[in-house]
Amino acid sequence: LQERDVEELLAKCHPLGMFDSIATLAVAANMRELYRLVLVDTPLAPYFSNNISSDDLDEMDERNIEIMRNTLYKAYLEDFYHFCRSLGGATGTIMTEMLEFEADRRAISITINSLDTELTREDRMDLYSQFGVLDRQGHVALAKCQDYDEVCGALEPYIEFKNITSKLSRYGEGPMLDKLFYEEEVKKLCLSFEMQFHYAVFYAFLKLKEQE
């Protein structure tokens, strides 16, 4: 869609996301055609139809693409979370805990990455997942943040993030935040292997392989 070679882009696609009609990407001249010709017949269709408007498809600058990506991932994450909760048992307990951490990590990352940008408080709130340790009050506090110190202050009431925020306030850098969350995520994923007779280990295994 941005005059990139389709074959080059297909080579970079994740193999788990490949499907038969992906070759028709080459005939799509814009995002609206891409949805009509390709995405409408894939499992992604409901996420686009329920969360992306026609205007969004027409306005495809870099900022809107990033907002669209986060909007779609939020919808997917919430669906996955509710599905895991419905399973119950050890699988439901472990998966919901890991997904809640992912939702909180995304909310904090979105906040920090949008500092000094045109993204409004309302835009941030729309991108936060509606579950996690960070409740509505925590999301409101994050949405108001204008610098790193305010982000640390918004997270201070949550003991789950004390270890991360103490180091974040010391270094105050985005890359350091990513590293801290990476380390914490790996710990949680490894802990899932200490329980028996649940399916969360498959999710943890794939996530750990992604981190290699």
Side-chain angles (χ1 to χ4, degrees):
L1 298 181
Q2 297 180 351
E3 299 181 356
R4 299 280 300 276
D5 181 68
V6 176
E7 292 299 325
E8 176 188 348
L9 296 177
L10 290 178
K12 297 180 180 180
C13 292
H14 196 292
L16 290 179
M18 300 297 285
F19 52 92
D20 292 339
S21 59
I22 197 170
T24 58
L25 286 170
V27 302
N30 53 55
M31 194 63 191
R32 190 184 296 275
E33 286 188 12
L34 179 64
Y35 175 77
R36 182 174 61 84
L37 297 173
V38 182
L39 298 177
V40 71
D41 293 323
T42 72
L44 294 174
Y47 295 107
F48 273 85
S49 61
N50 295 333
N51 299 281
I52 304 299
S53 67
S54 298
D55 292 336
D56 293 327
L57 295 178
D58 291 333
E59 300 174 6
M60 293 297 292
D61 58 38
E62 185 174 348
R63 175 177 178 272
N64 285 335
I65 290 175
E66 189 64 19
I67 291 177
M68 182 185 299
R69 185 181 68 83
N70 281 286
T71 299
L72 293 172
Y73 192 79
K74 169 195 171 184
Y76 150 75
L77 200 62
E78 289 177 347
D79 271 2
F80 192 23
Y81 176 77
H82 293 307
F83 169 74
C84 291
R85 286 194 65 183
S86 70
L87 297 177
T91 299
T93 300
I94 297 172
M95 283 301 302
T96 53
E97 181 180 345
M98 289 192 290
L99 292 177
E100 285 172 357
F101 176 80
E102 171 68 7
D104 293 334
R105 182 194 66 77
R106 288 189 67 257
I108 297 168
S109 295
I110 287 170
T111 302
I112 291 180
N113 291 334
S114 64
L115 295 175
D116 300 323
T117 69
E118 297 178 357
L119 209 66
T120 66
R121 296 179 182 179
E122 292 74 18
D123 291 334
R124 289 180 184 175
M125 290 292 293
D126 288 340
L127 296 176
Y128 297 156
S129 298
Q130 301 303 306
F131 66 93
V133 173
L134 292 173
D135 50 16
R136 173 75 179 180
Q137 185 176 355
H139 286 166
V140 171
L142 279 179
K144 295 178 180 178
C145 294
Q146 297 182 357
D147 55 44
Y148 282 106
D149 290 336
E150 290 185 5
V151 173
C152 293
L155 299 176
E156 190 173 346
Y158 302 92
I159 192 173
E160 293 84 355
F161 303 106
K162 186 175 182 180
N163 183 48
I164 293 177
T165 55
S166 62
K167 296 178 181 178
L168 176 64
S169 59
R170 186 186 310 168
Y171 298 103
E173 298 178 358
M176 175 56 65
L177 175 68
D178 292 337
K179 183 176 183 295
L180 294 173
F181 272 114
Y182 160 76
E183 293 174 350
E184 191 67 24
E185 181 183 28
V186 168
K187 291 178 184 177
K188 291 182 178 294
L189 294 171
C190 290
L191 284 174
S192 69
F193 291 92
E194 296 189 3
M195 291 185 64
Q196 298 179 337
F197 309 116
H198 65 86
Y199 294 104
V201 291
F202 296 103
Y203 174 83
F205 174 79
L206 290 174
K207 295 293 286 186
L208 288 170
K209 291 295 288 185
E210 287 180 357
Q211 303 286 14
E212 291 183 354

